[in-house]
Amino acid sequence: MNLSLDRIRARWISAIIPIRNQAHLLPTCLDSLLGQKHGMVPGEILVIDDGSTDDVGKVVARYRSRSRRIRLYRIDAGNANRARIFGLSMARGRYILLADADNWLEPDFVARTLRALLDSARTDTPAVFAYGDRIMHFEADWHPDHPKIDPKPHRVVAGPFDENRLRRGNYIDMCSLLVRSAVQLDPTLKWYQDWDLWLRLAGQGQRGVYVPETAFHYRVHEGSQTCRHLQVEDTEWLRLKQRYHMASIAPPKVSLILIARTREEVDAACAKLREQDYPNVEFCTSTAEGFARAYQDALDQVTGEIVVFTETDCTPLSPHWLSELVAEVRPNEVVHGLTVTDATPNMANTACYAEVARRFPRNLDYGPAEDTEWLLRMQDAGVGYRQVHQAAVFHSRPFVRQRMKERAYQYGWDWSRLIRRYHYCDRDELVARFETERAIAEEVLQGMNDEANRAKIPAARDAGPADNT
């Protein structure tokens, strides 16, 4: 890499940041742009204030004293894409870096993505945009009905550009570096703006280049689209589906594994799952006695390319759940969708290629913990495991607890064996957790019993003397 030449080329980059009432987030974004390694600071940083009523102007004025590359424009566009389009009209760069005020970049993001585009330009199929991974920070409730997700940052690995995968669901964020001519934004869209852009470019025969080991940070906060779009009618998703004829691309066949005690439970769960928008699904079900036998019985029915595991007490939070989960499946890997619950994680809401599932027969020796053993055995043999923050389900806690009570002793026995064999968690921490849960339950029950006993006393006095006549 010729760093001196790349520093000159960094001046060809215009960063465009639309913002609306996020002045408190903007400093982190600007600091990350001004702090790029090797002097790879974009030649201009355009902040497009779309009708803010907070202190965006003061923040930008303060940063202007540090760098005259930063400029502020005030407009009343009404959505982020219109603000970006205005920014593009003001930008002078050959390359456009799109970011949002709630993003911030890793220090090597500009250097790596620019170098990837320059290297690609010398190939037979040059890329028109470069992207990396995203690191998720959950700073607010992800869903209005459910609590905050694990606050620890999570890296979401994007993976190479794949048009068929893109048509099944978006996996590339707007925060990317693009050749100027590739910035083709629909001003009428309020949601799925990045997905529309990538599908539009793919339809023109253009492609992106994935840059491993570089990333930007993504906040999920009050007011972010990740939170808000779950609460609105999802008509724009249908617009994209029609616009890009996504139904014309034959999606991989999915075998959906579902086991239960009774056929009535299976039928009720399948009826709900048929509401999913994924078009190519077969149901592989079983009511055989024992988890391992039931799962293996269902797996023996599989004819699809991808296997998805769910349970009767898992409720998808979106009609796109299955599409989102399938879009994340990769070779030699198990992917685990977002599960909103405090129950012990298991194989529900996971997916993998069928050939991976077939390599590992279910083990009858671990009773109700056999799904955990199956997953650990696969990882021990080199199969990857990845959790994603999409394809969300709600795993019903009361139902889970009722079932767990019936087999709680066996869980304790089997988990101890798994810990000893695979070292997948700390036994003392697990024991301490259950001891705490037991103490809490005992205190709650004692309080309920004491209140019930106290309530009986005035009731007896109000009854009056017995009538002995």
Side-chain angles (χ1 to χ4, degrees):
M1 180 184 295
N2 188 331
L3 290 178
S4 60
L5 186 56
D6 280 354
R7 287 192 198 100
I8 296 173
R9 287 168 172 159
R11 299 175 191 171
W12 303 345
I13 297 174
S14 298
I16 298 176
I17 307 168
I19 186 170
R20 184 182 179 87
N21 293 330
Q22 294 180 347
H24 61 295
L25 303 177
L26 186 57
T28 305
C29 178
L30 295 178
D31 284 337
S32 73
L33 286 165
L34 296 177
Q36 289 295 297
K37 284 182 178 179
H38 314 302
M40 297 292 290
V41 178
E44 57 182 4
I45 301 170
L46 311 183
V47 179
I48 314 301
D49 182 3
D50 184 10
S52 296
T53 57
D54 59 5
D55 293 331
V56 169
K58 292 181 180 179
V59 172
V60 174
R62 188 167 72 247
Y63 274 82
R64 283 270 294 171
S65 65
R66 287 176 52 185
S67 174
R68 306 304 288 180
R69 301 181 188 211
I70 300 173
R71 303 205 304 274
L72 174 67
Y73 295 93
R74 297 181 186 274
I75 62 171
D76 189 9
N79 73 47
N81 256 4
R82 288 175 180 164
R84 293 184 185 107
I85 292 169
F86 177 85
L88 185 65
S89 70
M90 296 291 106
R92 299 187 292 262
R94 302 183 194 177
Y95 299 93
I96 304 297
L97 175 60
L98 297 177
D100 292 325
D102 50 10
N103 301 151
W104 71 95
L105 310 181
E106 290 283 274
D108 61 355
F109 188 90
V110 170
R112 284 180 175 271
T113 52
L114 177 60
R115 174 46 53 188
L117 282 180
L118 294 173
D119 289 344
S120 174
R122 293 192 289 269
T123 68
D124 294 335
T125 56
V128 296
F129 68 96
Y131 63 97
D133 301 331
R134 64 184 183 274
I135 299 173
M136 304 292 289
H137 299 259
F138 287 87
E139 300 173 357
D141 288 355
W142 174 82
H143 187 279
D145 298 328
H146 302 299
K148 188 183 298 185
I149 305 303
D150 186 350
K152 297 190 297 294
H154 294 273
R155 189 183 191 101
V156 179
V157 178
F161 183 78
D162 182 336
E163 182 178 352
N164 287 330
R165 181 184 170 200
L166 191 63
R167 285 178 173 272
R168 297 198 296 267
N170 188 34
Y171 64 97
I172 305 171
D173 194 88
M174 185 68 84
C175 189
S176 306
L177 183 65
L178 301 92
V179 175
R180 185 186 182 102
S181 60
V183 186
Q184 303 173 30
L185 303 169
D186 183 344
T188 68
L189 285 176
K190 296 185 69 174
W191 318 104
Y192 306 111
Q193 296 166 340
D194 45 7
W195 195 18
D196 174 72
L197 174 58
W198 313 136
L199 287 170
R200 186 185 303 272
L201 293 173
Q204 298 169 1
Q206 309 280 14
R207 71 178 185 93
V209 58
Y210 169 56
V211 187
E213 299 180 7
T214 191
F216 71 97
H217 296 256
Y218 186 111
R219 298 179 194 262
V220 176
H221 57 90
E222 295 292 345
S224 68
Q225 287 199 6
T226 303
C227 293
R228 287 183 295 163
H229 89 273
L230 296 167
Q231 305 172 48
V232 300
E233 188 177 358
D234 214 353
T235 57
E236 293 197 348
W237 191 90
L238 295 176
R239 285 177 59 193
L240 292 190
K241 187 174 181 179
Q242 295 170 355
R243 176 181 292 174
Y244 297 106
H245 310 290
M246 283 185 270
S248 66
I249 301 297
K253 184 177 181 180
V254 168
S255 299
L256 203 152
I257 300 288
L258 181 67
I259 67 171
R261 290 183 173 181
T262 67
R263 175 51 54 182
E264 289 75 16
E265 288 180 312
V266 168
D267 291 343
C270 289
K272 292 182 179 179
L273 291 168
R274 287 190 180 95
E275 298 173 1
Q276 289 290 307
D277 59 21
Y278 195 83
N280 193 6
V281 183
E282 68 172 0
F283 289 89
C284 301
T285 66
S286 177
T287 57
E289 185 176 353
F291 284 91
R293 283 192 178 89
Y295 273 126
Q296 194 59 53
D297 180 31
L299 278 168
D300 289 342
Q301 304 167 31
V302 166
T303 63
E305 180 182 348
I306 292 173
V307 174
V308 172
F309 296 86
T310 187
E311 293 185 356
T312 55
D313 53 356
C314 282
T315 303
L317 296 181
S318 163
H320 317 314
W321 160 70
L322 195 53
S323 298
E324 292 176 353
L325 189 61
V326 170
E328 290 291 337
V329 174
R330 298 176 192 166
N332 201 42
E333 181 180 82
V334 174
V335 63
H336 201 152
L338 180 62
T339 303
V340 183
T341 182
D342 65 351
T344 305
N346 58 12
M347 284 297 292
N349 200 22
T350 61
C352 64
Y353 279 106
E355 59 87 13
V356 173
R358 292 193 185 98
R359 293 205 318 259
F360 299 90
R362 308 304 281 232
N363 190 337
L364 297 176
D365 296 335
Y366 281 88
E370 69 83 30
D371 54 350
T372 303
E373 192 277 336
W374 191 60
L375 179 59
L376 292 170
R377 181 157 36 101
M378 285 196 289
Q379 292 181 72
D380 200 48
V383 175
Y385 172 77
R386 180 167 52 93
Q387 290 186 302
V388 297
H389 289 283
Q390 58 187 43
V393 299
F394 178 67
H395 205 159
S396 175
R397 179 184 176 188
F399 187 83
V400 171
R401 293 305 187 204
Q402 179 183 344
R403 288 289 177 86
M404 282 190 67
K405 185 177 183 299
E406 299 172 8
R407 49 185 182 255
Y409 177 85
Q410 191 63 44
Y411 268 127
W413 182 278
D414 290 330
W415 281 343
S416 292
R417 295 167 64 202
L418 292 177
I419 291 169
R420 185 166 58 252
R421 180 172 180 179
Y422 295 106
H423 310 289
Y424 83 104
C425 73
D426 186 282
R427 182 184 184 281
D428 292 340
E429 289 182 4
L430 194 61
V431 169
R433 192 192 89 183
F434 282 112
E435 291 284 1
T436 301
E437 289 184 1
R438 178 169 64 183
I440 291 171
E442 289 174 350
E443 288 293 322
V444 169
L445 289 172
Q446 187 63 52
M448 294 179 70
N449 289 333
D450 288 349
E451 194 280 335
N453 291 332
R454 183 200 62 77
K456 292 177 183 178
I457 297 174
R461 289 174 179 169
D462 292 344
D467 187 355
N468 296 320
T469 60

